[in-house]
Every structure is written in structure tokens, then in C-alpha cells.
Amino acid sequence: MASIFSLIAAGEIPSYRVASDDKHYAFLDINPVAPGHVLVIPRREEDYIFNLSDEEYTDLMLFARRVARALEKAIPCKRVGVAVMGLEVPHTHVHLVPLNSEGDMDFSSKKQIAPEEMARIAEAIAAEFE
Ligand code: 5GP
């Protein structure tokens, strides 16, 4: 059965897309720890990031860096934090979080952001993606 993130990347479940290519998909985390919290996934389903091939791992990180560059431009922040956990969804995903303070990356403190604001944030990041 396809993972929820595969369904999102295939457009079968809605998401706030910020970037994509033939191998990757980036979208806003539905319960962000900070505004602009993005998840970057490989389209190929693999639970554990360290089980990706060398090429898949490198491609994912290079794609995530491009998304981070867009995030830095779209969301005022000191830098973009990176985390990989995967304790909830068994499909590799890189968390990118705009940081202004250490507390912005507290994964025990999720936020709810109104749909209109989520759409605005996603559009702002997408507009900066190169
Ligand atoms: P992890 O697997 O890294 O521990 O956490 C999974 C992350 O995916 C969480 O931050 C959670 O909010 C996010 N998430 C789970 N389900 C969905 C979903 O259906 N859509 C989106 N956009 N994010 C999700």
C-alpha cells in the first residue's frame, strides 16, 4: 500500500506544494513547528533515509538545499534547520525549518496555521524556488 506521502506526491491527497521534480516532492508540514516548515521527500518510497542509494541520498540532499535556499528568501529567518526522524511516517522525509531561535525546532510543539496562510506561505516559497 502506498504511503501517505506517496499519495501526496502523486496528487491523490492535497498538499501545500512548494517544489517538485521527477524524483522529489516538497510540501508544507500540516502541523508545522514553525511557519514555513517544509518536508522534502524522494518520490520513491523508502522508509529509512540511510537505506537510500548513494545517488538517491545525494540527490535528495541537493534538492533539499535548493528548497532551503527558497525558504531563506521567502521566510525571514537566521538559517534553515534540518532534521530527519521518520518516527511517524515510514517514507523518508527531510524536515526543513526556518529558524530564528532554538525553540523554533521543538518537535513536541506543533502549530495549527489557517489554510489561507498555509497557501500564502507555500506560494511564497514556490516563487523563490530555482
Ligand atoms: P516524523 O515521521 O518525521 O516523525 O513526522 C512526520 C511529519 O509529517 C510530522 O511533522 C507531521 O506533522 C507530518 N505529517 C504527517 N501526516 C501528514 C500529512 O498528511 N500531510 C502533511 N503535509 N504532513 C503530514
Side-chain angles (χ1 to χ4, degrees):
M1 197 178 99
S3 77
I4 188 154
F5 286 174
S6 285
L7 295 174
I8 285 173
E12 291 173 32
I13 290 178
S15 68
Y16 297 97
R17 189 185 75 87
V18 303
S20 61
D21 69 7
D22 58 332
K23 290 183 188 158
H24 310 96
Y25 191 85
F27 56 108
L28 295 186
D29 194 299
I30 204 70
N31 291 126
V33 295
H37 178 177
V38 169
L39 303 176
V40 184
I41 65 166
R43 289 184 186 271
R44 187 179 83 73
E45 229 173 272
E46 166 55 55
D47 177 4
Y48 189 36
I49 190 169
F50 296 127
N51 286 339
L52 294 174
S53 69
D54 289 358
E55 186 183 350
E56 288 172 327
Y57 180 85
T58 305
D59 285 351
L60 176 64
M61 286 304 172
L62 290 173
F63 188 81
R65 184 166 68 179
R66 289 171 60 202
V67 176
R69 296 283 187 236
L71 253 183
E72 288 163 353
K73 290 179 187 156
I75 309 286
C77 61
K78 289 183 178 166
R79 57 177 56 209
V80 172
V82 185
V84 178
M85 294 176 291
L87 295 173
E88 185 187 324
V89 179
H91 183 147
T92 293
H93 49 284
V94 178
H95 295 259
L96 299 177
V97 181
L99 297 180
N100 287 296
S101 69
E102 202 177 292
D104 292 336
M105 212 145 168
D106 177 1
F107 284 88
S108 65
S109 170
K110 300 286 187 81
K111 297 177 173 45
Q112 292 276 357
I113 296 179
E116 309 77 46
E117 180 61 3
M118 290 286 272
R120 191 198 65 75
I121 291 169
E123 278 170 29
I125 300 166
E128 298 290 354
F129 183 74
E130 293 175 7

